[in-house]
Amino acid sequence: MPTATFRIWRGDITGGKFCDYRTDVAEGMVVLDAIHRVQAEQVPDLAVRWNCKAGKCGSCSAEVNGMPRLMCMTRMNQLPIDAPITVEPMRAFPLIKDLVTDVSSNYRAKQRITPFKPRPPDAADGTWRMAQEDVDRIQEFRKCIECFLCQDVCHVLREHRLHEQFIGPRLLVHVAALEMHPLDIESRAEELRTVHGVGYCNITKCCTKVCPESITITDNAIIPLKERVVDECYDPLTKLFRIFRPARAPEAPG
Amino acid sequence: MAEYQTHEHDVLVIGAGGAGLRAAIEASAAGVSVGLICKSLLGKAHTVMAEGGVAAALANVDERDGWQVHFADTMRGGQYVNNWRMAELHAKEAPGGVHELEAWGALFDRTSDGRILQRHFGGHKYPRLAHVGDRTGLEMIRTLQDHAIHRGITVYMEHTILTLLEDGERVVGAFGYDSERGFFHLFHARAVVLTTGGIGRAYKITSNSWEYTGDGQALAYHAGAELVDMEFVQFHPTGMVWPPSVCGILVTEGVRGEGGVLRNKEGRRFMFDDIPELYRQQTADSEEEGWRYTQGDRDARRPPELLTRDHVARCIVREIKAGRGSPHGGVYLDISWIKGKLPSAAERIKKKLPSMYHQFKQLADIDITAEPMEVGPTTHYMMGGVRVDAESQMSTTPGLFAAGECAAGLHGANRLGGNSLSDLLVFGKRAGAYAARFATAHGFGQVRTDQVETAARRALAAFDGDGRPGGAESPYRVQHDLQELMQNRVGIVRREDEMVHARDGIARLRERATRVRVEGNRQYNAGWHTALVLDNLLTVSEAITCAALERRESRGAHFREDHPGKDASAGAFNLVVRKGPDDEMQVRRQPIPEMRPDLKRIVEEMK
């Protein structure tokens, strides 16, 4: 059986380093299998987050040979095993231990987004009618498994650490799903600009490239949201109209 | 003295999959304070894995459907040992549960007139499963999660409960720890709801993630509550078998619902070879009729691939044992054959089964639109669990409720596909509502410090395991050996001598578990975690084995090679497992109450 060397990041908030572990590579194996094998045979307290092992829950995100990946969907035969395979935690988030990071900022950001609110039911029995094509339009966004790999590569979060000012691609996809939901009647344009920091995104499309669900994040979600913000907040006619209206609640700082 | 942080909630919900989220939402709607504990991050629970759909008699696709038909289907699927009152409530309330989800933002596929579309599934007479492609579970858990986070519920992510706290008869809280730091936490509550899911990790081949270690069942058992139907473990007929690293990962029944067929290595549709009497009237005579059924022909009867899961799993095992299996020890599941029937078959498969397409392409290098898949049975679902009152979901221990997979009753001897998602909506909601009501009527009980101290001491014992007689054990090793034992001795086909062997084996593993030693510190320590759930796995494994030994007949998911027939007298009772006065496991027969005459009439009419 061939073997491979895994260069795994080990450490916690106080610091850490890469450590090498050799393990067997069986047919069809994925990186997460190798990590589990190392854990069961060599480093019982190695910290790794995982659940479904089928690419559906988005728990086992990490950087494999420098690429943000789901470890459960990264097959060993896609990686050269003549050199050590590096496995390290997502660098955009604070480290907890080894391969596990603190992704709680994403959960906090979601809580700040105005929730779904449907129009009144269409039928007397309290149900709605929707066309399949209207549903299809946002299915792409609803496929998101919240692996946060898009957040990991977003330079606004990764380099500039603006987790509290910018909700990031995952949550912009969430807002897009709400805004384009056939039943939703809320408008989130103002909060996108003032609270969620949509303006920070400068469309480098790194997020789209790493999405394991192949969601066209930038083109289908973020750009339409930016256009919506422009239409609703910066349209000259609307602006003029606003000037002649009594002031409303003060805006949150941008 | 152990150090711990104390939290106080009117209702504490343990487990944050679909049932837990639904219970938490309902309890908080009743105006009480709610704490929600997830073993993982929020939204990662096993509900995300559910693919096919949620069963509810909406009658959008076939107006002949109704709660009565759904009720009769559920009872027939469960071989009539279900809690019939639960089956009735479930059939009546599932449509409301689905509509509620839609009002919270869930988007299901639509009919041409804009209503919720429904698909065929095994054991359901009419197309009944509301779905979103093959990722219905994700849609449901995300909807519940996104709704719950705005309801003032306190969420404890990556926390694990070690024990329930008792005050006399009553449960008054729980004690556990967080993964991130390994600190202890005491949750003081007026009512506790268990929604911890299943037991799949007691077996080697399973579709379940690491979380499904029978925590709720074991916690309830140790708190004096009764378990029921523990002999009924569902082996889903179609899990992946190759490559080894993905063995057990689920292949949705939706593949067969869309026209996929099972063949052995000789190319034979072996499911036509054995059709149970109970289903003969409803099953297609020819391959052609089966195909027409999957394409919506209302006069056609279902193909035998869509018989109940217990039966399909056994037929697959039969083919494999007879040497007619595929190269990697499975059989073939083929959806690509529909190319000959439909012009745009490949597109249709990708549209209807996108995640299956993705899963096989990425993990096995197989294009399911062009070639057959290899599949075999995988441990999937626990019909048994905490014995609860049908209306309130309260266990036999006051203040302790259970819902979803960790509760029992609805599914009897075998669950129909799609009934788990409706189960968690209907009974998650009920458990939340009744727990809130209990919390309003009762004060906080008294926490016994000795119980907390014992739990903390036991939890830390694995760190100082040096010098124990017999030498140190690895938690991974013990867990692995238990999985092998259960897989080989208490699996799909069971026999008395093998199960006696398993029972002795479990006792030996229990002894080894006391010698488990873990390394490192308490922070995010996977080895420590594995050690701490060993007791739960051992408890549920023992309960499964004891109940399976006691049921000397074959019924639903429980198949005894030494008692291959169904025994009418055994259909009159459920098996109840509880902890005896000397900590020994007791099994007793609990007569099933006489079914209400109106329900009996429905069952007779639909036979």
Side-chain angles (χ1 to χ4, degrees):
Chain A
M1 200 179 275
T3 61
T5 300
F6 283 83
R7 187 158 287 173
I8 303 171
W9 180 263
R10 300 225 55 203
D12 56 24
I13 199 152
T14 60
K17 62 178 190 315
F18 282 104
C19 298
D20 286 1
Y21 304 98
R22 266 198 97 66
T23 188
D24 294 340
V25 177
E27 187 179 347
M29 204 156 128
V30 294
V31 170
L32 186 59
D33 291 317
I35 298 291
H36 281 156
R37 194 168 280 192
V38 169
Q39 193 181 48
E41 292 168 2
Q42 303 177 49
V43 203
D45 64 335
L46 177 65
V48 55
R49 200 179 256 141
W50 71 284
N51 275 57
C52 75
K53 207 176 164 292
K56 292 197 171 71
C57 76
S59 300
C60 63
S61 307
E63 300 182 8
V64 180
N65 280 351
M67 281 298 292
R69 308 287 297 259
L70 294 177
M71 287 187 279
C72 72
M73 296 302 273
T74 307
R75 290 184 67 185
M76 289 300 298
N77 62 6
Q78 300 164 347
L79 302 168
I81 59 168
D82 43 2
I85 296 160
T86 60
V87 186
E88 54 192 308
M90 290 193 285
R91 295 297 188 185
F93 302 107
L95 184 66
I96 291 177
K97 184 183 158 191
D98 303 339
L99 301 176
V100 176
T101 54
D102 176 3
V103 293
S104 59
S105 58
N106 300 301
Y107 289 88
R108 287 195 299 277
K110 192 186 247 185
Q111 216 153 8
R112 295 195 295 269
I113 296 165
T114 301
F116 172 75
K117 185 176 174 189
R119 67 178 185 235
D122 301 328
D125 64 355
T127 61
W128 287 270
R129 300 290 176 269
M130 284 177 258
Q132 183 67 40
E133 55 262 38
D134 290 332
V135 171
D136 284 343
R137 196 171 309 130
I138 69 161
Q139 288 302 7
E140 181 187 9
F141 307 142
R142 310 250 334 156
K143 279 196 307 189
C144 171
I145 56 173
E146 300 198 329
C147 65
F148 307 127
L149 288 174
C150 56
Q151 309 283 80
D152 186 41
V153 289
C154 174
H155 63 100
V156 183
L157 303 175
R158 191 180 177 102
E159 268 95 53
H160 303 283
R161 317 301 283 188
L162 295 176
H163 293 91
E164 301 304 319
Q165 289 94 319
F166 177 54
I167 58 175
R170 155 58 195 143
L171 291 144
L172 289 171
V173 166
H174 178 60
V175 176
L178 289 166
E179 287 285 284
M180 298 180 209
H181 193 296
L183 303 184
D184 182 75
I185 52 171
E186 291 282 3
S187 170
R188 296 166 188 83
E190 190 62 26
E191 69 184 53
L192 271 170
R193 188 174 70 87
T194 55
V195 186
H196 309 321
V198 71
Y200 281 110
C201 167
N202 58 358
I203 322 187
T204 54
K205 302 197 184 184
C206 308
C207 50
T208 305
K209 275 189 209 124
V210 300
C211 178
E213 288 292 312
S214 308
I215 303 170
T216 319
I217 301 174
T218 320
D219 290 355
N220 291 355
I222 300 180
I223 292 175
L225 289 179
K226 282 176 173 277
E227 287 170 350
R228 200 163 280 207
V229 169
V230 170
D231 281 350
E232 291 190 27
C233 307
Y234 296 101
D235 180 72
L237 276 175
T238 316
K239 201 161 191 183
L240 206 63
F241 179 70
R242 280 217 186 113
I243 293 170
F244 293 106
R245 257 194 338 184
R248 282 193 299 187
E251 287 179 358
Chain B
M1 282 289 282
E3 275 183 42
Y4 53 82
Q5 208 178 331
T6 303
H7 313 270
E8 218 172 74
H9 296 286
D10 294 326
V11 172
L12 181 72
V13 180
I14 304 172
L21 280 162
R22 190 64 195 83
I25 289 169
E26 200 62 19
S28 86
V32 301
S33 76
V34 180
L36 176 62
I37 294 183
C38 353
K39 213 158 136 179
S40 294
L41 295 174
L42 187 61
K44 307 297 185 193
H46 212 53
T47 309
V48 299
M49 298 291 287
E51 291 161 350
V54 44
L58 300 162
N60 286 353
V61 173
D62 196 318
E63 76 292 342
R64 291 172 295 183
D65 204 5
W67 76 262
Q68 294 91 340
V69 195
H70 193 181
F71 167 75
D73 287 350
T74 302
M75 293 299 294
R76 187 188 305 109
Q79 307 267 340
Y80 305 107
V81 292
N82 324 48
N83 177 327
W84 49 262
R85 177 62 176 152
M86 279 176 85
E88 179 197 8
L89 290 169
H90 167 255
K92 284 180 171 167
E93 294 174 9
V98 172
H99 286 141
E100 228 161 26
L101 277 186
E102 186 152 273
W104 296 342
L107 279 172
F108 295 101
D109 285 346
R110 317 307 293 184
T111 61
S112 54
D113 65 348
R115 293 182 299 163
I116 293 173
L117 182 62
Q118 298 179 273
R119 73 158 45 124
H120 282 298
F121 235 57
H124 293 281
K125 190 166 185 191
Y126 300 118
R128 190 175 284 146
L129 269 67
H131 61 277
V132 196
D134 58 1
R135 53 159 199 85
T136 313
L138 172 64
E139 185 71 17
M140 285 180 59
I141 196 167
R142 201 67 80 230
T143 301
L144 290 167
Q145 172 191 346
D146 293 350
H147 188 72
I149 59 171
H150 297 287
R151 297 258 126 15
I153 297 160
T154 309
V155 180
Y156 300 90
M157 289 198 243
E158 300 193 310
H159 281 57
T160 302
I161 295 302
L162 294 166
T163 188
L164 296 176
L165 303 172
E166 298 140 55
D167 179 5
E169 290 275 278
R170 194 188 142 194
V171 164
V172 295
F175 183 73
Y177 69 101
D178 66 77
S179 305
E180 185 175 335
R181 295 166 171 278
F183 288 176
F184 289 129
H185 296 262
L186 190 158
F187 299 90
H188 200 181
R190 298 170 194 257
V192 174
V193 184
L194 295 170
T195 46
T196 55
I199 57 93
R201 297 309 277 193
Y203 288 83
K204 188 174 144 197
I205 299 173
T206 176
S207 64
N208 291 189
S209 85
W210 67 269
E211 294 193 284
Y212 298 90
T213 47
D215 298 5
Q217 292 88 342
L219 290 169
Y221 172 83
H222 289 301
E226 292 179 345
L227 308 180
V228 67
D229 294 341
M230 291 300 283
E231 68 274 33
F232 299 122
V233 178
Q234 179 166 77
F235 299 92
H236 193 289
T238 58
M240 292 176 82
V241 296
W242 188 261
S245 80
V246 298
C247 188
I249 295 182
L250 193 65
V251 180
T252 176
E253 191 167 322
V255 175
R256 285 168 280 146
E258 296 296 336
V261 298
L262 290 166
R263 294 186 196 279
N264 62 21
K265 74 171 182 192
E266 293 151 11
R268 184 176 171 76
R269 290 241 337 238
F270 58 85
M271 287 306 299
F272 276 103
D273 297 346
D274 175 15
I275 295 164
E277 206 42 56
L278 209 52
Y279 285 91
R280 195 168 293 281
Q281 298 290 336
Q282 305 182 5
T283 308
D285 285 333
S286 66
E287 299 194 8
E288 189 51 37
E289 185 183 3
W291 165 250
R292 282 191 283 116
Y293 175 90
T294 63
Q295 299 312 297
D297 181 342
R298 298 173 37 151
D299 298 323
R301 290 168 300 172
R302 73 167 78 98
E305 276 86 357
L306 289 178
L307 285 164
T308 52
R309 290 175 173 179
D310 51 343
H311 180 73
V312 180
R314 269 195 302 279
C315 289
I316 292 175
V317 170
R318 180 195 68 212
E319 292 301 308
I320 298 168
K321 279 195 172 165
R324 296 189 292 267
S326 65
H328 299 111
V331 293
Y332 294 108
L333 171 62
D334 189 9
I335 180 83
S336 69
W337 78 283
I338 69 171
K339 281 181 300 208
K341 293 278 185 186
L342 296 172
S344 54
E347 289 320 302
R348 187 185 163 81
I349 294 166
K350 283 187 214 170
K351 158 97 181 127
K352 283 292 187 180
L353 303 161
S355 55
M356 280 305 104
Y357 174 75
H358 194 65
Q359 184 172 310
F360 274 90
K361 194 92 188 137
Q362 269 196 284
L363 294 175
D365 287 326
I366 283 177
D367 177 357
I368 65 167
T369 69
E371 53 193 319
M373 303 159 240
E374 273 187 75
V375 296
T378 178
T379 312
H380 184 54
Y381 189 86
M382 185 60 181
M383 269 73 73
V386 182
R387 184 166 175 244
V388 291
D389 171 65
E391 320 279 331
S392 69
Q393 297 289 292
M394 191 157 91
S395 71
T396 50
T397 296
L400 182 64
F401 298 75
E405 188 172 352
C406 92
L410 170 61
H411 309 293
N414 174 56
R415 175 178 71 84
L416 298 184
N419 270 2
S420 56
L421 292 182
S422 40
D423 174 4
L424 61 85
L425 291 177
V426 169
F427 295 108
K429 177 175 179 170
R430 281 184 168 267
Y434 281 90
R437 197 180 290 184
F438 186 95
T440 312
H442 295 81
F444 284 96
Q446 204 64 42
V447 170
R448 280 169 25 216
T449 43
D450 64 309
Q451 208 192 346
V452 174
E453 289 301 325
T454 308
R457 199 169 50 245
R458 286 188 54 182
L460 296 176
F463 281 107
D464 43 39
D466 271 344
R468 292 185 192 186
E473 281 278 359
S474 147
Y476 297 103
R477 202 68 243 161
V478 177
Q479 188 185 45
H480 176 267
D481 291 351
L482 175 65
Q483 291 166 341
E484 287 270 343
L485 183 72
M486 291 300 286
Q487 186 77 32
N488 297 334
R489 310 278 179 168
V490 202
I492 302 177
V493 177
R494 299 168 173 175
R495 243 177 34 214
E496 172 140 352
D497 55 341
E498 298 211 335
M499 291 193 288
V500 169
H501 177 96
R503 200 173 49 188
D504 298 343
I506 291 167
R508 277 194 299 276
L509 286 164
R510 224 178 239 299
E511 187 278 320
R512 284 174 58 191
T514 63
R515 288 186 279 117
V516 154
R517 158 123 181 98
V518 298
E519 291 171 25
N521 60 29
R522 285 161 66 173
Q523 194 186 16
Y524 224 107
N525 187 331
W528 185 37
H529 194 98
T530 304
L532 290 178
V533 295
L534 278 179
D535 180 62
N536 296 345
L537 281 171
L538 288 162
T539 301
V540 292
S541 297
E542 188 181 348
I544 292 166
T545 310
C546 290
L549 273 165
E550 181 64 23
R551 187 169 283 282
R552 293 181 189 85
E553 62 152 355
S554 294
R555 182 180 295 270
H558 171 68
F559 184 78
R560 289 278 301 254
E561 210 171 33
D562 47 354
H563 299 277
K566 208 176 339 185
D567 172 5
S569 68
F573 61 81
N574 298 114
L575 291 174
V576 168
V577 175
R578 66 169 300 162
K579 189 151 108 171
D582 299 317
D583 281 0
E584 80 288 8
M585 194 173 273
Q586 297 179 337
V587 183
R588 78 176 148 81
R589 295 176 176 195
Q590 176 74 30
I592 297 172
E594 174 96 9
M595 199 186 290
R596 238 173 40 220
D598 58 315
L599 297 177
K600 220 184 235 173
R601 243 185 338 267
I602 293 170
V603 166
E604 285 306 320
E605 280 165 18
M606 310 262 174
K607 254 188 177 152

